[in-house]
Amino acid sequence: MSGKRYLSPLLSPGIRDFFREAGEITRFALRFLKEIWVPPYEFREVIRQSYQIGFRSLSLVGLTTFIIGMVLTLQSRPTLVEFGAEAWLPAMVGISIIREIGPVITALICAGKIGSSMGAELGSMRVTEQIDAMEVSGTNPFKYIVVSRIVASTLMIPILVVIGDAIALFGSFLAVRVKGGVSLTLYFNQVFESLEFGDVIPSFIKAFFFGFAIGLVGCYKGYFSTKGTEGVGRAANSAVVIASVLIFVIDLIAVQITEFLGLI
């Protein structure tokens, strides 16, 4: 009897479904890595999707990170004042935003907005047989609608993270300015003097993986959506949940690698 037949009765249906879906997503990712190198290249669709993902998410990312920067500063200041370390506030907030809070918050916002949008859009195309019609007409739907969206998401999330970090730091400065009267130049000098290579580069690199995970899961759930409008809603919802979990898993792995390399 094979090992699979020994293990199968010991696993609950939920665990078996988890491993089955993990395998399907991995196979979907491998197909993307194969198709991305094969012509024709859909540059115009990638640009269009980049605009949809980047520009239309900018206001939400900006508002959220601005508030996060202010709240983080206002919450941290009383503790630092109590220990006579108020001068360290810009450095502490700057490192926290650049290293962790900025990338993770931006990625979670994009998982909610972009992941659900991709799941719903591709799911609608699947249940209305638009994807089947593309296959019949000789167009490669995976190449046109999946590869272009994953590439656009992978490229745009790091840019949104950089913009979100800058807006969060500005929100933090306004909170410091109201409480302490620190000038803009002094505040950002203290922030940039505290930042090192190990704070900036790993944060930027993991943002690419966040973008890839969001695009991959959103497209996967929508591409294989079934059961009509109910299935479309379920695809959008599960795309957000899975992408959010993957963001935390990627962040945990990135922290372990950065620590192993001695960058923090």
Side-chain angles (χ1 to χ4, degrees):
M1 184 180 289
S2 68
K4 181 178 178 181
R5 295 178 64 183
Y6 275 119
L7 290 174
S8 186
L10 301 177
L11 299 177
S12 68
I15 295 176
R16 286 202 296 271
D17 290 343
F18 170 79
F19 283 112
R20 180 190 58 77
E21 184 142 48
E24 292 294 328
I25 293 176
T26 302
R27 192 164 67 175
F28 196 75
L30 293 175
R31 184 178 177 186
F32 163 79
L33 294 175
K34 176 185 175 183
E35 295 272 0
I36 191 174
W37 305 111
V38 179
Y41 305 108
E42 304 289 348
F43 292 115
R44 294 183 63 180
E45 183 63 12
V46 171
I47 294 172
R48 192 177 75 85
Q49 292 299 326
S50 297
Y51 169 78
Q52 298 281 351
I53 293 170
F55 184 75
R56 296 193 173 180
S57 303
L58 190 56
S59 58
L60 183 59
V61 169
L63 176 62
T64 309
T65 52
F66 178 79
I67 295 172
I68 289 293
M70 292 195 75
V71 170
L72 179 63
T73 303
L74 293 173
Q75 290 281 8
S76 304
R77 186 176 180 277
T79 304
L80 293 178
V81 169
E82 184 178 350
F83 289 96
E86 187 181 2
W88 289 96
L89 184 59
M92 191 203 73
V93 173
I95 292 174
S96 300
I97 289 174
I98 299 296
R99 185 184 289 178
E100 281 296 328
I101 296 175
V104 172
I105 292 294
T106 302
L108 289 175
I109 293 168
C110 292
K113 180 176 175 57
I114 300 167
S116 62
S117 175
M118 286 182 180
E121 185 181 8
L122 269 65
S124 299
M125 295 175 71
R126 171 62 72 185
V127 299
T128 56
E129 300 182 349
Q130 293 181 54
I131 294 177
D132 296 334
M134 292 174 72
E135 291 175 343
V136 171
S137 65
T139 304
N140 184 345
F142 192 93
K143 185 82 177 178
Y144 184 74
I145 63 177
V146 173
V147 173
S148 59
R149 282 167 174 76
I150 296 178
V151 170
S153 176
T154 306
L155 294 177
M156 294 309 298
I157 299 302
I159 296 175
L160 288 171
V161 166
V162 172
I163 296 173
D165 287 350
I167 295 175
L169 290 174
F170 182 70
S172 172
F173 160 72
L174 291 181
V176 173
R177 176 75 177 176
V178 169
K179 295 290 185 180
V182 178
S183 68
L184 182 68
T185 304
L186 177 60
Y187 176 84
F188 279 96
N189 281 341
Q190 291 180 338
V191 170
F192 289 124
E193 285 175 0
S194 66
L195 293 175
E196 297 179 353
F197 176 82
D199 301 317
V200 179
I201 300 303
S203 171
F204 189 69
I205 292 174
K206 72 183 178 184
F208 281 97
F209 289 94
F210 289 162
F212 176 74
I214 293 169
L216 178 73
V217 174
C219 290
Y220 166 77
K221 299 303 293 188
Y223 197 76
F224 294 111
S225 178
T226 56
K227 300 179 181 177
T229 55
E230 180 185 350
V232 174
R234 191 176 301 165
N237 182 58
S238 57
V240 176
V241 174
I242 296 175
S244 299
V245 172
L246 283 178
I247 287 167
F248 287 113
V249 172
I250 292 170
D251 190 49
L252 176 62
I253 295 172
V255 170
Q256 296 300 317
I257 293 175
T258 306
E259 186 177 0
F260 176 78
L261 295 175
L263 297 176
I264 57 175

